[in-house]
Amino acid sequence: MRAGRVLFRPPMPKFFIKTYGCQMNERDSEQVAHSLSARGYERVRSEGEADVVLLNTCSVRDMADQKALGKMGMLGRMAKERPHVVFGLLGCMAQARGKSLLKNLPHLDLVVGTQKFHRVAEYVDELVAKKRSWISENVQRPTSNVQGPMEGRMDDLRFSIVDIAEESGSQSTIREQELAPKQATAFVSVMQGCNMHCTFCIVPQTRGAERSRSIPEIVNEVRDLVSSGIKEVTLLGQIVNLYGRYEFPKVDNKSPFVQLLEAVHRIDGLERLRFTSPHPIGFRADLIGALERLPKLVEHVHLPLQSGSNTILRAMHRAYTAEKYVDLVRRIRRARRGIAITADIIVGFPGESDDDYQQTRRLVEQVQFDNAFVFRYSPRRDTPAAEMPNQVDEKVKEERNHDLLEVVNESARRANERLIGREVEVLCGGSSRTNAERLMGRTRSNKIVIFEGDSEFVGELVDVRVERVTGFSLYGTPLARPKSTRTRIAA
């Protein structure tokens, strides 16, 4: 047998992906992770282990922008020490800023927008190959032999790809994800984009116009997830309850979104169904009726408020009044006993007077939310609100934020304390983040429950008796009696 050269095959790259922002960003990241894993890449838990480092970005608030930019800037040192590593920015900030990101981040190789997540793996392949080839030809031999514009200097090693173009059908490309052992919950993207154009929001620019997947396509994805062990699915859309309003007709006076809920609800083996985030104007009678008659729909609605002042709501282009919002909450609570309602609220919107803020405060006290996310208004470039007069002083925003959080925290505490001594159904997600010796799960109303138990509970529905409350967490004891003999109370 004739001796031949042994070909060296470099190991498959390892990748790290960090996600900023909302659940839709998390879902997009899982699609990217699946695409890379399918090509043989190995996912790792830190950038220090990785050959490919990807940051999936958010542009809804300035803080999210700055965090991602700061993180990528810090990675510049790693780029000098490990020139083969591919660095990429994905998602909303990448979409909004595009090629301009390359100017201040000389080590940045990849910029991919919100309609091109399914292209990331092929771009990464191309960049990995180019970097390996250049290093093999140039870095591993004397600098004096290097020809061309790079002149053998690591600082000049740059092969950038920027893709922020629109792509028809991109709403159907987020359909695969990596599932961990005993994973019991999953997000399913049902639509992309937004047509509402709230004056504070950059999403229509970064995510594009509303586009929806077909019901059969979504049902097939959920059915596959359930067959893999998923018990709870959350349907995702920028304004999810406006799903399909341009593509699909009403049937029996039911909106496309309610038709979708009914279709997913019929899937055998699915235990729980959630959706986020809706808009108050999309809560028509058919959707409230679905909450009343579809038992797999959980007892939780996240219903963004944004402001309790009609003056500010008009300036935001929110298309409802404070009075209509309160009436909607009343109708939702009447439709489903024990339902939890959470909200998003912005303080310090341009022109918000003390009286406007007090109207918001009074509404929050009246509604008694189970929880709410309170945000200080953050100007986003290319949005109408950023150019509005009477911008509110940062100190005033901070004072209102702190004050409203106290109101929210008090109502959340009361809601949780009402559950002490009661039995709740918990879907166990695994170990508690703060104590690995304990388990953590969520009730149907999306409340966190901490309890003692072993690995057999992970990924399973567990009935737990609540014994005490600390902050936003419930603490309890799992019940040993057979589930069929127990009466559950929705929490």
Side-chain angles (χ1 to χ4, degrees):
M1 184 175 182
R2 190 169 57 181
R5 278 194 340 181
V6 177
L7 295 177
F8 171 71
R9 292 186 178 180
M12 286 301 294
K14 299 176 181 179
F15 74 95
F16 169 76
I17 184 165
K18 181 176 178 64
T19 307
Y20 298 86
C22 66
Q23 292 161 317
M24 278 173 281
N25 287 15
E26 292 180 26
R27 180 65 190 90
D28 294 336
S29 291
E30 287 306 310
Q31 177 65 47
V32 172
H34 175 87
S35 300
L36 290 169
S37 296
R39 291 173 181 246
Y41 288 64
E42 177 187 350
R43 190 171 189 173
V44 293
R45 296 188 175 187
S46 72
E47 62 267 22
E49 306 172 70
D51 306 297
V52 178
V53 178
L54 304 172
L55 306 183
N56 190 8
T57 62
C58 172
S59 276
V60 172
R61 288 174 293 279
D62 184 61
M63 181 66 73
D65 259 22
Q66 297 309 314
K67 282 184 177 180
L69 286 172
K71 180 69 172 179
M72 185 56 73
M74 291 171 60
L75 292 171
R77 177 173 296 182
M78 180 194 295
K80 292 181 179 180
E81 296 170 350
R82 305 174 63 207
H84 72 282
V85 176
V86 171
F87 296 92
L89 286 172
L90 319 176
C92 290
M93 185 177 70
Q95 184 72 42
R97 301 197 181 195
K99 191 174 182 179
S100 67
L101 288 165
L102 301 175
K103 294 178 183 178
N104 297 319
L105 297 166
H107 59 289
L108 184 59
D109 303 297
L110 180 62
V111 179
V112 175
T114 56
Q115 298 189 30
K116 296 299 181 77
F117 288 107
H118 58 295
R119 305 286 185 195
V120 171
E122 64 185 81
Y123 293 150
V124 167
D125 267 353
E126 181 179 340
L127 290 165
V128 166
K130 285 182 176 179
K131 283 202 166 190
R132 281 181 169 177
S133 176
W134 190 90
I135 291 171
S136 175
E137 293 177 7
N138 298 297
V139 177
Q140 295 176 6
R141 65 187 188 183
T143 302
S144 59
N145 292 337
V146 177
Q147 304 295 322
M150 291 189 184
E151 299 177 352
R153 293 184 293 114
M154 296 290 191
D155 290 347
D156 290 329
L157 176 56
R158 186 162 192 171
F159 306 100
S160 57
I161 295 176
V162 178
D163 188 354
I164 59 171
E166 293 184 2
E167 181 161 335
S168 177
S170 64
Q171 70 272 22
S172 295
T173 61
I174 309 300
R175 59 179 184 269
E176 298 162 318
Q177 56 189 297
E178 297 289 289
L179 298 180
K182 292 193 172 183
Q183 182 175 331
T185 65
F187 298 132
V188 173
S189 177
V190 304
M191 63 186 295
Q192 290 182 344
C194 179
N195 289 8
M196 296 304 294
H197 295 282
C198 299
T199 57
F200 55 82
C201 186
I202 198 172
V203 167
Q205 291 96 303
T206 61
R207 291 275 179 175
E210 290 176 23
R211 332 180 280 289
S212 299
R213 301 170 65 189
S214 71
I215 290 177
E217 183 182 354
I218 296 165
V219 167
N220 287 337
E221 181 179 342
V222 176
R223 188 176 288 118
D224 288 344
L225 289 169
V226 171
S227 68
S228 299
I230 295 298
K231 294 180 173 61
E232 175 185 293
V233 161
T234 302
L235 305 181
L236 296 178
Q238 198 64 47
I239 299 185
V240 70
N241 55 342
L242 298 183
Y243 161 87
R245 60 176 173 161
Y246 298 119
E247 295 96 336
F248 313 123
K250 284 188 174 183
V251 175
D252 296 330
N253 209 31
K254 295 174 185 175
S255 68
F257 183 61
V258 170
Q259 295 171 49
L260 172 63
L261 291 177
E262 291 177 339
V264 174
H265 190 276
R266 287 192 290 267
I267 295 173
D268 290 337
L270 180 68
E271 298 281 352
R272 294 179 175 183
L273 178 58
R274 301 183 186 273
F275 57 85
T276 199
S277 283
H279 191 293
I281 69 165
F283 263 91
R284 308 291 184 181
D286 60 335
L287 180 50
I288 294 175
L291 286 171
E292 192 170 17
R293 62 187 172 78
L294 299 180
K296 291 180 183 179
L297 270 178
V298 296
E299 290 78 19
H300 174 228
V301 169
H302 185 71
L303 191 65
L305 167 65
Q306 309 305 4
S307 178
S309 161
N310 289 336
T311 299
I312 298 302
L313 288 172
R314 282 194 297 273
M316 291 177 166
H317 288 184
R318 289 295 290 174
Y320 54 86
T321 64
E323 293 77 15
K324 287 183 178 180
Y325 184 94
V326 171
D327 181 64
L328 176 57
V329 170
R330 179 187 59 80
R331 287 186 289 134
I332 290 172
R333 284 175 169 164
R334 188 171 60 190
R336 179 68 74 89
R337 177 175 173 267
I339 198 165
I341 296 181
T342 57
D344 297 327
I345 306 167
I346 296 172
V347 296
F349 187 81
E352 183 186 67
S353 66
D354 287 340
D355 182 60
D356 291 322
Y357 170 68
Q358 289 300 324
Q359 290 177 50
T360 297
R361 194 181 196 278
R362 287 194 294 271
L363 188 150
V364 172
E365 287 179 325
Q366 177 185 357
V367 170
Q368 290 291 294
F369 292 107
D370 286 70
N371 199 0
F373 300 101
V374 181
F375 304 103
R376 288 169 288 177
Y377 168 72
S378 174
R380 309 309 294 132
R381 64 177 186 176
D382 300 325
T383 61
E387 305 300 323
M388 287 180 178
N390 301 318
Q391 297 285 327
V392 177
D393 183 78
E394 288 299 325
K395 184 179 178 181
V396 174
K397 292 181 190 178
E398 177 63 31
E399 290 171 351
R400 291 174 182 173
N401 181 269
H402 179 76
D403 180 62
L404 195 60
L405 278 175
E406 288 187 346
V407 178
V408 169
N409 291 345
E410 181 61 22
S411 66
R413 181 188 62 79
R414 285 194 292 265
N416 286 345
E417 286 182 347
R418 286 194 290 269
L419 297 174
I420 294 176
R422 300 181 68 179
E423 198 172 310
V424 297
E425 181 191 82
V426 176
L427 181 54
C428 181
S431 298
S432 167
R433 294 179 182 177
T434 57
N435 186 345
E437 300 299 315
R438 291 175 172 171
L439 298 175
M440 184 275 289
R442 292 183 183 269
T443 67
R444 289 173 59 90
S445 60
N446 210 35
K447 297 181 188 295
I448 296 172
V449 181
I450 310 296
F451 60 97
E452 304 284 346
D454 53 37
S455 60
E456 70 176 354
F457 287 113
V458 178
E460 300 296 333
L461 291 165
V462 185
D463 284 343
V464 176
R465 179 174 288 113
V466 178
E467 296 171 344
R468 61 188 178 92
V469 174
T470 302
F472 293 102
S473 296
L474 311 174
Y475 292 80
T477 302
L479 300 172
R481 289 175 295 147
K483 195 166 186 178
S484 60
T485 67
R486 302 197 293 269
T487 301
R488 296 195 302 274
I489 300 175

